Amino acid sequence: AGMVRQGDWELQVILNGEAQPEHVIDGHHIVEARPGAKFSIEVTFHGEGTCAFDVELDGKKVDAMHAVDTTGQAPRMAGRKHIYAGFVKRNEGQAITSEFQYSHTRVEEGEGGGEGA
């Protein structure tokens, strides 16, 4: 089961190759943080057509806009899903990825950030 599904879109947080279980608290979809663990974000498009999307984590854009194409018209964008392994910085054709990693310390309740993705 996917974490957040809205319309044709689904987002999952992946840890050790498995989707993290979703919890809903006060109407917010969250996963439990594993202090120090590295994770990825998987976005899946279940609709038909060509779509472009952005992903933000903690208010920061993860990478440049990504596109998927289910029609076969754009082979370079073929597929339904994209996996983000970290924040990507691009410059002059080169890309550097900083892996996603949960904070090493727990955040006290009410302070926000770090506990969920």
Side-chain angles (χ1 to χ4, degrees):
M3 180 177 167
V4 176
R5 175 107 185 228
Q6 182 165 351
D8 291 333
W9 296 94
E10 179 179 13
L11 182 140
Q12 295 181 317
V13 176
I14 309 296
L15 179 66
N16 297 324
E18 295 186 13
Q20 293 302 104
E22 166 192 0
H23 305 283
V24 180
I25 298 177
D26 295 331
H28 298 280
H29 297 261
I30 65 165
V31 296
E32 183 179 350
R34 304 280 187 240
K38 293 180 178 154
F39 63 93
S40 60
I41 298 172
E42 180 177 286
V43 179
T44 305
F45 177 58
H46 294 281
E48 296 300 326
T50 303
C51 291
F53 57 92
D54 279 324
V55 171
E56 289 186 1
L57 179 63
D58 292 337
K60 290 175 40 181
K61 197 171 175 178
V62 170
D63 193 0
M65 186 173 287
H66 185 78
V68 292
D69 174 46
T70 64
T71 67
Q73 299 294 320
R76 192 173 69 99
M77 300 183 301
R80 294 187 175 276
K81 70 175 59 176
H82 184 73
I83 298 173
Y84 294 93
F87 290 101
V88 179
K89 293 188 180 190
R90 298 177 185 277
N91 187 23
E92 297 180 10
Q94 295 187 0
I96 297 173
T97 302
S98 299
E99 295 178 308
F100 296 136
Q101 186 172 13
Y102 288 115
S103 174
H104 282 281
T105 57
R106 297 185 68 87
V107 175
E108 293 299 319
E109 190 173 328
E111 289 185 19
E115 281 296 305

